[in-house]
Amino acid sequence: MGDTQPESVALLATHAVNGQRYQEFPYADDGEGIEEEVGEEEKMQKIEMQPKDGEPVRKPSLGERRNVELTRLLVIDEQREPTTKTTTTSPTSTTASDNSGRQSPISNSPREHFTPGLRRNSISMPSGINALELEALRLRHQMQSQDPLHEESQSGSMVDDGASSNVSTPVVVVNTPDKGVTTINFGNTDDNNDDSDDEFGNAKKPVYRDRFRSRRRASIAPLPALRLNSKEMLASDFDTHSVASNQASITSINSLASLLREKMQAFPQLIRKKKRETKDYKIKIFVIMMFFIIIFLIGYAYIAYHQQILTRSYFQKIKFNSQDRIFRILNHEDKEVISGQLGVTIGSDSAPFHCLEDHRRKDGSVCIEWNGIARLHMNFENKGVFRCYTMQWQALIPGLLPTDCYELQRDNGLWFGGGITKGQEWSLSYANFDFKPYASGDIKVHQFGNGVKRYFINSIGVAMQVSEQTPLQIGINRTANQFCLRAANDEFTFVNRLTELPQLDYKICTTEDMRSLHMLMTQQSLWDGLKEADIQVLKSLLEEPVWKIPTGPTVESLNESIICDYSENAISIGLGHIVINEFWQENIGDFTVDKTRFPTLKDTIDVLHRRGFKVVFTIQPFISTDSANFKDAVRRKLLIYERYSERSIPALTRYKSSSSAGVLDITNNASIPWLIEKLQRIKDEYQVKGFYLDLGTGYNLPHYYQCRQTLDNPDMYARQLTSSLESAGLMAVSTASVVPKPPTFLSTPPANATWEGLRETLAAVLNYGVIGYPFVLPGAIGGDYLLHGPLHKMVSFYSLGQPELPDQELFIRWLQLATFLPAMQFSHLPSEYRSDLVTRVAQELKEVRQTVVIALLKKYLNPSMNEGWPLVRPLWMLDPHDPACLIVSDEFSVGEELIVAPILDAGREEREVYLPQGVWKDGIDGSLRKGSRWMHSYRVPKDKIAYFRKMPDNTRF
């Protein structure tokens, strides 16, 4: 060593190990801030051993404190004189040679000074020894022969296993200013003498360690795992880029195999670290997932509390949330069949509570009130397989309109009923219109047609019936998928307020079988009071056609010769009822024959009777101001009078060809006898078989009408008048709100002579059948009038003449459809076309109706009279559980045994046909067809119509 080295570096005795020369030096213990617990004697010894002035301060060595002798080794520079001295840890004087070859005395003081900062319990060289370099040590090591190190357990030693030595394994710690601390291990340390198993319980494998390795940048072997506080940590986690480590062995630069072996030895440690990292990653994911699951459960519980827990169950199958007014009805299988929101117009901030005792009813109903705004009564009626629920809203403040809305969902079936609408939609679920008063009208102008009934049915077995006293408005919004009922008075339809504030009252019934539900809701015996003559008239209308004498828009367009000529041409088609419109009078309301145009009408009618025809006159409750009966009715106060006026002032309106007419007040007890007397006089004089009652619609009443007795709504007028004239013999009526007594038919609205009019006729027949009108009289084949543009005013205000001869193809397709309807009505005759095709088609269809259709109509006549089932039905009435039957709107069935698929568009000779379950016989070629499937591109020639008869269930296909 040089002279410039500090005095604290004491050269001690040398010691030879395996042929190498080392110097001994004591363990350093000069770390700052390190204190140990000592006894009283040691404290006194420390006081006595205080250094003198000028001497360095040193603590007792480890050997002194533990009373053991420890060997101290120090490498001696070989360039110097090879002097080797051995010394022990006893406090005696020793000498060592410095770099100049001089002997330096070694202090005999037990407190030898070393550089501070060295690790405790480690054999470290003092800092500042520049002459000791690793490169010289490596070169010297290469010059000597190397004994290979064999793999052995970590508890082994570099010396022979049989040799016992009290000397610790030599370790040299070199402190260099630029490299930090470098530790050179010549054997296994105490940390490596661990015979315990690894963390997985497996016995540790022997590890091969080289004594040296080349200096590589940041290439230090991974340190073995240290176990601190029962937790494993890799030493490489502390310092991964150190040039020297206190536990890493130096690998020989010439041994690539030892490097690879070292890497392979570290691989299991890396795998364990990866496993721990993967395990930690999975734990984090699991914790995150659990966090979101808990958040979801909390949110779900919150929603369930507000929507389910707050929902109460009434009458076993009603679920009603009083706060949000969500209403649900369940079937026998606890499946939701209808849902909606009640009291839509009530604010959400209104809290409900049970009604006071004075407002409760004794019928077992539930009463709920919303803060003096509205009151709801719910009741339940158990009819075995049927469950009926009554809902009644009563407004408590002016301006509140009780409104309930129900969901229009395809999963919950399609809604039908209410009659026909302005858009002629097949189902109410396809309609889209704002709230409109529910009253009969002209579908060209008003929202609803001439046949109405407050009855709605769903294809899956839910029906709804609204009270006649409710001022009903209906709104259907397709975008919101809601079917809404509202109670609201107005200035015309519901001007006669039956209650001080609007009241919504209706009933909902459910069952598993839609067919039986329909029978329950529409069942009324049509046999009561029916005479044998009435049954014969009913059957004749089914078997024979109705002949409507074509006329122009004026009275002069009808005379006796036209009637006679028409009847002669109609004989070839068949006999039936000849209907003469209101032009048999000079003025509407005369109720006498115009002698000018019909001087011998009595004789003409006798001729028609001998030919086999039955003559029917058209009558109406309107009396023209030009008629002589108008003055008589005013004098007798038989007419409807103006509202808020004396009863002597009649209310006027328009009706067809009459621009000004009064209306008989049927609530006056003198009006009906006065009218029946005049009608009976006509029957007796002209031998008329019956009358066609043309009531117009509800909107044909005067706008400010007032009857002697209050009417619930305008349709009550047609209902009372029809029932009052049953004894006079009515063949058909133009408007109805209840099923008229047989043999009276309900006429469909006048149809335009276009392809659109053909489709509207089929839709009207099917919709009227659904709401309980089994006997429907379609319009004239080919159309009742012809208009090329849309209407903006009521057709019934003026008379439209019969259209000119329709297109031949349209007439043939219309005739094919009418062949399978409950009744056929002609205006233009097939002979007018002077076409062999039209004549041949008419004869073939006449044979089909007589041999096939009429037999089925008579067969299903009794079920219609008993149960209210229509003669002509939509396919979903055959199989309400078949989704395809719900969407088919251009097919129908006659009873349950005949499927008809007409052509309803111009120029088409093929179509898609769907047959319900079963085996069906094709009416065109006689082949058998299997049901529950579609027939695509089914060809239908111009002279044919597709129809299929159902075969017995045991038919072999």
Side-chain angles (χ1 to χ4, degrees):
M1 303 293 179
D3 295 336
T4 60
Q5 294 178 344
E7 297 179 357
S8 59
V9 178
L11 299 179
L12 304 180
T14 61
H15 180 67
V17 179
N18 293 336
Q20 298 294 328
R21 300 177 62 197
Y22 299 91
Q23 274 192 333
E24 296 179 335
F25 57 90
Y27 284 88
D29 197 15
D30 295 324
E32 296 179 359
I34 299 176
E35 296 182 0
E36 294 184 359
E37 297 181 2
V38 295
E40 295 294 334
E41 296 180 359
E42 295 182 0
K43 291 182 179 180
M44 296 299 297
Q45 186 178 4
K46 281 187 176 183
I47 296 175
E48 295 175 356
M49 297 173 60
Q50 291 295 329
K52 299 178 181 181
D53 295 338
E55 294 182 0
V57 179
R58 175 167 176 78
K59 296 180 181 180
S61 66
L62 180 63
E64 294 174 330
R65 292 198 306 270
R66 298 186 180 181
N67 292 325
V68 294
E69 295 182 358
L70 300 176
T71 303
R72 298 181 291 274
L73 301 180
L74 182 65
V75 179
I76 302 300
D77 189 356
E78 294 183 356
Q79 295 180 0
R80 294 182 52 84
E81 179 181 352
T83 303
T84 304
K85 292 185 179 182
T86 303
T87 175
T88 63
T89 58
S90 59
T92 57
S93 299
T94 53
T95 60
S97 60
D98 56 9
N99 292 338
S100 60
R102 293 174 302 173
Q103 297 289 333
S104 298
I106 305 300
S107 174
N108 295 328
S109 174
R111 300 183 54 87
E112 298 171 343
H113 179 73
F114 285 82
T115 302
L118 295 179
R119 284 183 44 180
R120 179 181 298 177
N121 300 336
S122 62
I123 303 176
S124 305
M125 295 182 65
S127 60
I129 303 179
N130 298 325
L132 182 60
E133 294 184 359
L134 292 177
E135 187 65 23
L137 185 62
R138 184 186 63 80
L139 294 175
R140 184 180 71 252
H141 175 70
Q142 291 179 358
M143 296 293 294
Q144 297 177 2
S145 59
Q146 298 285 337
D147 294 334
L149 294 177
H150 301 283
E151 293 185 350
E152 52 190 23
S153 62
Q154 294 183 3
S155 60
S157 167
M158 294 177 57
V159 297
D160 188 274
D161 294 339
S164 61
S165 175
N166 293 329
V167 183
S168 302
T169 304
V171 179
V172 177
V173 179
V174 180
N175 289 332
T176 57
D178 56 341
K179 300 295 182 179
V181 179
T182 301
T183 303
I184 305 176
N185 295 332
F186 292 94
N188 296 333
T189 63
D190 292 340
D191 292 338
N192 293 331
N193 296 332
D194 187 6
D195 296 333
S196 62
D197 298 338
D198 61 7
E199 61 177 338
F200 298 102
N202 301 322
K204 292 187 177 180
K205 296 182 179 180
V207 179
Y208 181 90
R209 295 185 180 275
D210 289 328
R211 297 174 181 174
F212 298 92
R213 69 173 181 177
S214 61
R215 297 177 59 186
R216 302 184 306 278
R217 181 179 181 182
S219 178
I220 303 299
L223 301 177
L226 298 178
R227 190 173 297 274
L228 303 175
N229 298 329
S230 299
K231 296 182 180 179
E232 284 194 352
M233 296 187 300
L234 294 176
S236 58
D237 293 340
F238 297 98
D239 187 6
T240 59
H241 299 287
S242 298
V243 177
S245 176
N246 54 357
Q247 288 188 349
S249 61
I250 302 178
T251 308
S252 174
I253 194 173
N254 298 324
S255 179
L256 180 60
S258 62
L259 176 62
L260 295 176
R261 191 160 47 248
E262 184 179 333
K263 294 296 184 182
M264 292 302 294
Q265 292 171 358
F267 188 69
Q269 295 286 351
L270 296 176
I271 292 179
R272 286 196 293 272
K273 181 178 180 181
K274 291 288 185 179
K275 289 182 178 180
R276 287 194 298 271
E277 292 178 354
T278 304
K279 186 182 299 184
D280 295 343
Y281 180 74
K282 291 181 178 179
I283 292 175
K284 292 179 181 178
I285 293 178
F286 176 76
V287 172
I288 294 174
M289 291 178 62
M290 291 299 299
F291 173 77
F292 284 108
I293 289 175
I294 293 173
I295 296 298
F296 171 77
L297 292 178
I298 294 175
Y300 179 81
Y302 178 82
I303 296 174
Y305 175 77
H306 285 82
Q307 294 189 357
Q308 300 295 333
I309 298 179
L310 294 180
T311 300
R312 292 190 176 184
S313 178
Y314 298 97
F315 311 117
Q316 298 178 353
K317 297 299 180 181
I318 285 184
K319 300 294 183 181
F320 183 57
N321 187 324
S322 302
Q323 185 68 32
D324 299 329
R325 299 178 298 279
I326 302 299
F327 179 80
R328 298 179 180 89
I329 293 182
L330 311 179
N331 60 8
H332 293 274
E333 300 177 353
D334 291 336
K335 179 182 178 182
E336 180 181 300
V337 294
I338 184 173
S339 63
Q341 183 179 10
L342 308 184
V344 176
T345 53
I346 300 177
S348 59
D349 55 344
S350 300
F353 58 87
H354 290 285
C355 301
L356 300 178
E357 187 66 27
D358 297 340
H359 299 145
R360 298 180 184 178
R361 298 176 180 176
K362 305 301 182 181
D363 56 357
S365 60
V366 177
C367 182
I368 303 175
E369 185 172 334
W370 276 263
N371 195 23
I373 299 175
R375 188 179 298 121
L376 171 63
H377 290 272
M378 294 188 299
N379 205 348
F380 169 70
E381 182 180 4
N382 192 352
K383 297 184 178 181
V385 296
F386 305 101
R387 296 175 179 268
C388 294
Y389 308 89
T390 301
M391 316 295 296
Q392 186 181 80
W393 279 99
Q394 182 179 356
L396 302 180
I397 57 175
L400 178 67
L401 305 178
T403 305
D404 293 347
C405 294
Y406 293 92
E407 297 294 333
L408 293 175
Q409 299 177 357
R410 180 61 62 88
D411 295 340
N412 289 344
L414 297 179
W415 281 94
F416 298 87
I420 55 176
T421 58
K422 185 176 182 179
Q424 288 288 298
E425 289 83 6
W426 162 239
S427 168
L428 287 177
S429 301
Y430 301 142
N432 187 10
F433 55 87
D434 202 358
F435 285 99
K436 299 294 182 181
Y438 187 72
S440 61
D442 192 327
I443 58 173
K444 295 296 188 296
V445 180
H446 307 105
Q447 186 59 52
F448 302 99
N450 62 316
V452 294
K453 194 175 183 180
R454 300 186 174 199
Y455 167 67
F456 309 91
I457 187 170
N458 190 289
S459 59
I460 64 173
V462 182
M464 187 181 300
Q465 199 168 39
V466 185
S467 172
E468 294 291 343
Q469 285 72 36
T470 297
L472 179 62
Q473 291 187 358
I474 296 179
I476 300 178
N477 192 337
R478 186 163 47 192
T479 57
N481 292 326
Q482 289 183 337
F483 165 52
C484 299
L485 307 176
R486 170 178 291 180
N489 296 314
D490 55 18
E491 296 301 323
F492 171 70
T493 310
F494 305 111
V495 66
N496 299 317
R497 291 167 171 78
L498 303 181
T499 57
E500 182 179 357
L501 295 174
Q503 182 172 305
L504 179 61
D505 190 359
Y506 60 96
K507 179 173 62 176
I508 299 177
C509 294
T510 64
T511 186
E512 295 180 0
D513 184 11
M514 185 276 305
R515 294 165 55 90
S516 58
L517 178 64
H518 180 74
M519 180 184 67
L520 171 70
M521 301 295 288
T522 62
Q523 183 178 15
Q524 55 181 349
S525 179
L526 301 179
W527 295 101
D528 295 343
L530 203 63
K531 301 177 181 180
E532 185 65 27
D534 297 332
I535 297 177
Q536 295 300 324
V537 174
L538 177 60
K539 291 182 178 180
S540 66
L541 289 171
L542 298 177
E543 298 173 356
E544 301 171 352
V546 175
W547 306 100
K548 181 179 179 181
I549 305 297
T551 60
T554 60
V555 175
E556 289 76 13
S557 60
L558 182 65
N559 52 46
E560 289 187 28
S561 60
I562 293 177
I563 297 175
C564 291
D565 295 341
Y566 187 85
S567 62
E568 289 180 359
N569 296 328
I571 292 177
S572 59
I573 302 298
L575 304 177
H577 294 74
I578 294 181
V579 179
I580 302 176
N581 63 8
E582 66 275 7
F583 291 160
W584 60 273
Q585 311 167 90
E586 181 180 0
N587 298 298
I588 293 178
D590 287 343
F591 300 110
T592 57
V593 177
D594 185 0
K595 300 295 183 178
T596 303
R597 292 179 290 113
F598 303 98
T600 59
L601 182 59
K602 183 178 181 180
D603 297 335
T604 302
I605 293 176
D606 290 340
V607 172
L608 296 177
H609 286 168
R610 288 195 299 269
R611 291 177 178 176
F613 292 101
K614 305 172 183 67
V615 178
V616 177
F617 281 176
T618 300
I619 60 173
Q620 57 284 318
F622 303 92
I623 302 176
S624 174
T625 55
D626 297 331
S627 174
N629 288 331
F630 181 79
K631 294 180 180 181
D632 184 37
V634 171
R635 181 177 59 82
R636 296 172 180 264
K637 297 183 179 181
L638 301 179
L639 303 179
I640 295 175
Y641 57 91
E642 287 279 353
R643 192 181 307 154
Y644 312 120
S645 67
E646 298 180 2
R647 293 184 179 178
S648 58
I649 302 176
L652 301 180
T653 185
R654 297 184 60 184
Y655 176 76
K656 289 191 174 182
S657 60
S658 178
S659 58
S660 177
V663 185
L664 284 175
D665 185 0
I666 58 174
T667 63
N668 189 340
N669 295 331
S671 297
I672 297 300
W674 179 84
L675 179 59
I676 290 179
E677 179 185 358
K678 294 182 177 299
L679 296 179
Q680 188 63 39
R681 187 182 303 119
I682 295 173
K683 292 182 68 175
D684 294 340
E685 182 178 359
Y686 293 95
Q687 298 299 312
V688 175
K689 297 300 180 181
F691 298 97
Y692 175 84
L693 181 57
D694 191 352
L695 296 165
T697 65
Y699 287 93
N700 287 128
L701 293 179
H703 189 77
Y704 297 100
Y705 73 95
Q706 180 64 49
C707 297
R708 187 179 293 268
Q709 299 178 10
T710 302
L711 298 177
D712 296 345
N713 54 70
D715 292 323
M716 293 293 296
Y717 182 90
R719 179 185 307 179
Q720 294 187 16
L721 181 58
T722 301
S723 60
S724 300
L725 297 180
E726 289 177 354
S727 59
L730 298 179
M731 183 201 75
V733 294
S734 63
T735 301
S737 58
V738 295
V739 179
K741 182 180 179 180
T744 305
F745 278 56
L746 172 63
S747 296
T748 60
N752 197 6
T754 60
W755 289 96
E756 181 182 1
L758 174 61
R759 293 187 289 270
E760 291 177 353
T761 299
L762 175 59
V765 173
L766 295 179
N767 277 281
Y768 285 162
V770 169
I771 61 178
Y773 294 99
F775 308 116
V776 181
L777 177 64
I781 297 174
D784 299 292
Y785 62 91
L786 179 61
L787 286 177
H788 298 286
L791 291 175
H792 299 287
K793 55 183 178 179
M794 289 184 292
V795 176
S796 56
F797 279 175
Y798 50 90
S799 176
L800 293 175
Q802 294 294 319
E804 297 180 356
L805 199 61
D807 178 71
Q808 178 175 297
E809 182 185 3
L810 174 63
F811 184 84
I812 290 176
R813 294 304 189 188
W814 209 311
L815 179 60
Q816 292 172 349
L817 170 64
T819 301
F820 297 89
L821 299 181
M824 299 179 67
Q825 183 173 193
F826 285 91
S827 177
H828 291 285
L829 299 176
S831 58
E832 297 180 29
Y833 287 91
R834 303 182 184 278
S835 170
D836 294 338
L837 176 62
V838 176
T839 302
R840 178 172 57 84
V841 170
Q843 291 297 328
E844 291 177 354
L845 293 175
K846 177 182 177 181
E847 184 178 358
V848 170
R849 183 170 181 85
Q850 290 178 349
T851 59
V852 178
V853 180
I854 293 177
L856 290 175
L857 293 176
K858 290 182 177 180
K859 178 180 179 179
Y860 290 95
L861 178 61
N862 289 340
S864 297
M865 298 284 289
N866 294 329
E867 304 172 3
W869 277 94
L871 296 175
V872 174
R873 311 169 185 178
L875 292 189
W876 60 266
M877 280 193 168
L878 296 181
D879 190 359
H881 302 289
D882 189 344
C885 292
L886 288 174
I887 63 176
V888 176
S889 60
D890 56 355
E891 296 182 36
F892 62 93
S893 69
V894 180
E896 297 180 354
E897 303 178 21
L898 185 67
I899 300 294
V900 183
I903 297 294
L904 303 176
D905 296 291
R908 292 186 57 185
E909 294 189 3
E910 63 179 24
R911 58 159 296 160
E912 305 294 308
V913 177
Y914 181 79
L915 296 178
Q917 60 181 350
V919 179
W920 303 84
K921 184 178 181 179
D922 196 323
I924 295 180
D925 57 13
S927 61
L928 296 180
R929 306 281 185 174
K930 191 174 182 179
S932 298
R933 63 183 57 187
W934 286 91
M935 292 187 296
H936 302 285
S937 302
Y938 180 82
R939 180 164 178 76
V940 184
K942 184 180 298 185
D943 59 340
K944 301 293 180 181
I945 181 173
Y947 69 95
F948 306 86
R949 299 193 64 179
K950 190 173 185 180
M951 305 302 293
D953 295 336
N954 58 355
T955 302
R956 300 185 62 181
F957 185 74

